[in-house]
């Protein structure tokens, strides 16, 4: 058993209008890893390559300890261990009833647990006799999620799982995924735009921007290492001996009326530095994930411009 | 089981350190008695809305300090806390709170003298309020 559920090494994909990678990524087993990034940054394509739906031009992919090679999508033993929720529901299924689709899918999975499936329908209040095309977007999403979970996979790959869900259904989904993880050896890899989803679910965060991994972070470490400090111009003017720009980890500096805001990604060092120099901040502010993402994207743009 | 731990997001102090200090205080003060079964790592991380990695680190650190015990397959328990240990950590969270109060004062340019006076005043007010509420009605 390795401690890595999914491993991508030097994975590259070239298309006329888009280049993905090279991507190096390790998704740890037993944890929830969230891929966060703007639209079109390559999240869904990455998932399709992991599942051998799209073939990368270069690089290697390892899934649950086995190498993904051309033709391995027919490896049914490996398929049994994975649950994949795609971004869009399949439109050719619109004419099926929910029960018909579940009956079809269940044939492929020896681990299909009919009791678990029924329980999921009950939690999500889904009527299995309904035609899939007649379901609302949220209802359809819940049904697809139930089908993906019913064979108790050890790895869940979820492409924007909450799109279309109302707040109540969203909460049910989060609780369901928490419960899924209770059995410590399971892994979730998901992509999302929803910051609150990352906060509630993720252990690790992967920032994927313009086909590149900007970084893999432990969520809590990331959130507590970024901090915004406010200083009054007056206080800074009185301390002309100190260049506040030299604060450790400085990522940005904004001037407002009478105030200077400095954002750092090394909060502990910055705190110590301020203490040593006897400077008191007028205020502090924790950063939200989207603020951090924005600053990382800016930094990346500067780097590519200079290189 | 719900553990009363409160996170200050505004603090530059790492999350795992905040949780560790508070959980340690709950144990050494006896609010979590010897033998208490703590929530699983996943469960606790959901309560605090932090990642399992952070909680795992806290449990490991406190286990190394001898305050927690993990039994394979059963879970993590509060260990027996020695007198010495108790005295050493009893005041940790109080010191922490006082430090934060002093920082708050300095942000509004309080000097040492003023802070001392404020501290005296707050202590006096709190204790006299308590005495009043405990004394029998006349």
């Amino acid at each position: 058993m390795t401690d890595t559920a999914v491993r991508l090494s030097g994975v590259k994909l070239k298309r006329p209008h888009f280049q993905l990678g090279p991507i190096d990524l390790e998704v740890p087993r037993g944890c929830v890893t969230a891929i966060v990034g703007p639209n079109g940054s390559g999240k869904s394509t990455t998932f399709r390559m992991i599942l051998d739906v799209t073939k990368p031009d270069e690089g290697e992919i390892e899934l649950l300890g086995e190498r993904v090679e051309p033709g391995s999508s027919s490896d049914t033993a490996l398929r049994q261990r994975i649950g994949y929720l795609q971004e869009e529901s399949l439109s050719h299924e619109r004419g099926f009833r929910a029960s018909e689709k579940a009956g079809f899918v269940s044939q492929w999975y020896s681990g299909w647990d009919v009791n678990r499936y029924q329980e999921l329908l009950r939690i999500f209040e889904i009527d299995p006799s309904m035609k899939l095309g007649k379901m609302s977007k949220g209802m359809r999403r819940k049904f697809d999620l139930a089908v993906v979970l019913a064979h108790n996979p050890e790895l869940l790959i979820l492409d924007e799982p909450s799109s279309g869900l109302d707040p109540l259904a969203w909460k049910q989904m989060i609780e369901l995924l928490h419960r899924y993880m209770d059995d410590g050896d399971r892994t979730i890899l998901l992509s999302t735009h929803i910051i609150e989803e990352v906060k509630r679910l993720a252990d690790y965060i992967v920032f994927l921007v313009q086909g590149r991994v900007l970084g893999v972070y432990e969520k809590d470490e990331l959130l507590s290492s970024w901090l915004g400090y406010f200083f009054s111009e007056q206080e800074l003017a009185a301390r002309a001996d100190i260049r506040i720009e030299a604060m450790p980890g400085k990522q940005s500096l904004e001037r407002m009326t009478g105030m200077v805001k400095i954002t750092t990604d090394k909060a502990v060092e910055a705190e110590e530095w301020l203490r040593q120099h006897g400077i008191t901040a007028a205020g502090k502010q924790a950063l939200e994930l989207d603020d951090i993402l924005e600053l990382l994207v800016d930094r990346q743009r500067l780097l590519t411009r200079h290189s | 089981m719900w553990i009363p731990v409160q996170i200050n997001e505004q603090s530059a102090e790492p999350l795992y350190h905040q949780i560790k200090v508070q959980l340690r205080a709950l144990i050494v003060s006896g609010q979590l008695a010897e033998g208490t079964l703590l929530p699983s790592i996943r469960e606790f991380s959901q309560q605090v809305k932090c990642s399992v990695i952070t909680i795992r680190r806290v449990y490991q650190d406190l286990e190394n300090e001898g305050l927690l015990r993990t039994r394979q397959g059963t879970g993590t328990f509060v260990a027996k806390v020695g007198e010495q240990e108790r005295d050493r950590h009893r005041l940790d969270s109080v010191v922490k709170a006082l430090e934060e109060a002093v920082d708050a004062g300095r942000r509004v340019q309080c000097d040492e003298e003023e802070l001392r006076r404020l501290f005296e005043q707050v202590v006096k007010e709190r204790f006299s309020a308590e005495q009043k509420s405990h004394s029998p009605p006349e």
Side-chain angles (χ1 to χ4, degrees):
Chain A
M1 272 289 182
T2 62
D3 284 337
T4 306
V6 184
R7 188 197 314 273
L8 282 80
S9 342
V11 168
K12 245 180 170 177
L13 184 79
K14 270 188 193 154
R15 289 287 178 267
H17 299 288
F18 182 71
Q19 183 183 324
L20 186 72
I23 292 182
D24 292 284
L25 181 63
E26 284 189 16
V27 178
R29 197 187 285 268
C31 292
V32 180
T33 301
I35 301 189
V36 180
N39 284 326
S41 54
K43 302 188 289 275
S44 300
T45 310
T46 305
F47 285 173
R48 281 199 298 275
M49 288 194 300
I50 291 170
L51 292 154
D52 194 27
V53 182
T54 303
K55 198 182 143 8
D57 296 326
E58 278 174 47
E60 274 177 30
I61 298 172
E62 214 180 275
L63 187 54
L64 296 171
E66 303 195 24
R67 238 182 102 175
V68 176
E69 278 165 312
S72 62
S73 56
S74 54
D75 183 349
T76 45
L78 190 56
R79 287 271 138 170
Q80 302 285 334
R81 299 161 64 194
I82 301 164
Y84 170 45
L85 182 71
Q86 14 194 356
E87 193 179 4
E88 304 273 346
S89 301
L90 298 168
S91 56
H92 69 261
E93 292 178 341
R94 295 178 62 84
F96 286 114
R97 292 183 194 286
S99 54
E100 288 168 341
K101 168 159 185 189
F104 178 73
V105 174
S106 67
Q107 296 173 17
W108 296 94
Y109 294 102
S110 55
W112 183 273
D113 181 343
V114 71
N115 293 332
R116 171 135 177 89
Y117 168 68
Q118 296 290 352
E119 187 204 347
L120 290 164
L121 291 190
R122 202 170 33 77
I123 293 172
F124 282 149
E125 296 173 322
I126 297 163
D127 171 7
S129 66
M130 218 168 156
K131 283 228 169 95
L132 296 178
K134 290 268 183 276
M135 287 184 175
S136 68
K137 206 176 163 214
M139 177 77 78
R140 179 70 198 272
R141 203 68 183 151
K142 290 195 283 184
F143 172 70
D144 286 344
L145 191 63
V147 169
V148 163
L149 282 165
H151 67 284
N152 288 310
E154 61 188 276
L155 168 66
L156 264 187
I157 297 184
L158 308 172
D159 200 349
E160 308 211 2
S162 53
S163 68
L165 296 188
D166 61 63
L168 212 63
W170 181 79
K171 200 161 170 282
Q172 285 171 335
M173 182 195 77
I174 299 281
E175 278 162 18
L176 205 71
L177 295 179
H178 276 153
R179 249 194 294 152
Y180 167 81
M181 289 302 291
D182 276 343
D183 176 7
D185 211 26
R186 287 167 161 178
T187 307
I188 296 180
L189 174 64
L190 80 158
S191 71
T192 181
H193 287 302
I194 297 160
I195 296 302
E196 191 56 28
E197 204 161 287
V198 180
K199 273 186 123 169
R200 295 276 287 271
L201 274 176
D203 300 311
Y204 289 97
I205 299 173
V206 177
F207 288 114
L208 188 67
V209 177
Q210 293 173 338
R212 283 178 175 273
V213 173
L214 290 195
V216 182
Y217 300 93
E218 198 190 304
K219 180 183 63 182
D220 297 340
E221 218 173 82
L222 178 78
L223 285 171
S224 56
S225 57
W226 286 74
L227 201 61
Y229 285 91
F230 294 87
F231 303 97
S232 75
E233 293 267 27
Q234 233 177 339
E235 159 126 14
L236 292 183
R239 294 297 309 273
D241 55 321
I242 304 290
R243 275 183 63 245
I244 198 72
E245 293 87 346
M247 192 164 103
K250 188 210 101 176
Q251 294 294 318
S252 74
L253 187 150
E254 283 169 71
R255 287 184 194 281
M256 312 161 190
T257 34
M259 279 282 168
V260 175
K261 181 188 178 187
I262 295 189
T263 303
T264 173
D265 70 347
K266 292 195 173 70
V268 175
E269 282 98 321
E271 193 78 11
E272 179 60 26
W273 186 83
L274 290 172
R275 214 179 45 77
Q276 275 175 9
H277 290 89
I279 306 172
T280 318
K284 292 181 213 173
Q285 191 177 50
L287 271 77
E288 289 291 344
L289 269 174
D290 44 353
D291 302 325
I292 297 174
L293 177 63
E294 196 184 357
L295 287 163
L296 283 174
V297 170
D298 286 350
R299 191 162 76 181
Q300 176 71 13
R301 274 203 201 109
L302 278 175
L303 282 174
T304 42
R305 201 176 302 157
H306 288 299
S307 63
Chain B
M1 165 176 216
W2 185 74
I3 309 277
V5 164
Q6 253 156 29
I7 302 305
N8 177 5
E9 286 189 5
Q10 270 24 273
S11 169
E13 196 182 357
L15 194 56
Y16 100 93
H17 195 252
Q18 291 190 36
I19 298 171
K20 187 165 84 177
V21 168
Q22 292 183 46
L23 187 58
R24 190 196 281 131
L26 288 169
I27 295 168
V28 295
S29 66
Q31 286 179 71
L32 289 173
E34 182 191 345
T36 308
L37 174 64
L38 292 184
S40 74
I41 288 174
R42 180 67 59 186
E43 214 178 321
F44 197 8
S45 75
Q46 281 159 32
Q47 278 179 23
V48 192
K49 291 190 186 173
C50 70
S51 86
V52 287
I53 304 143
T54 298
I55 300 297
R56 193 175 297 141
R57 218 151 132 202
V58 169
Y59 279 12
Q60 257 159 19
D61 281 8
L62 293 182
E63 211 178 316
N64 292 342
E65 289 179 23
L67 294 176
L68 292 179
R69 234 170 342 118
T70 295
R71 249 183 266 142
Q72 274 307 322
T74 352
T76 302
F77 298 85
V78 176
K80 190 176 168 59
V81 183
E83 268 325 302
Q84 249 184 333
E85 205 65 24
R86 189 154 287 170
D87 282 344
R88 185 140 55 92
H89 294 301
R90 193 170 67 96
L91 300 177
D92 281 358
S93 56
V94 183
V95 171
K96 183 93 229 136
L98 286 173
E99 280 170 1
E100 273 167 26
V102 172
D103 287 345
R106 291 187 59 180
R107 278 199 288 278
V108 290
Q109 275 82 42
C110 281
D111 61 17
E112 231 178 297
E113 190 47 46
E114 205 174 359
L115 279 174
R116 276 182 219 285
R117 220 169 43 237
L118 280 172
F119 178 71
E120 286 289 337
Q121 195 186 328
V122 171
V123 169
K124 210 175 275 170
E125 276 170 16
R126 287 295 160 114
F127 276 89
S128 73
E130 212 165 88
Q131 265 165 10
K132 257 181 228 156
S133 66
H134 285 174
S135 59
E138 291 172 26

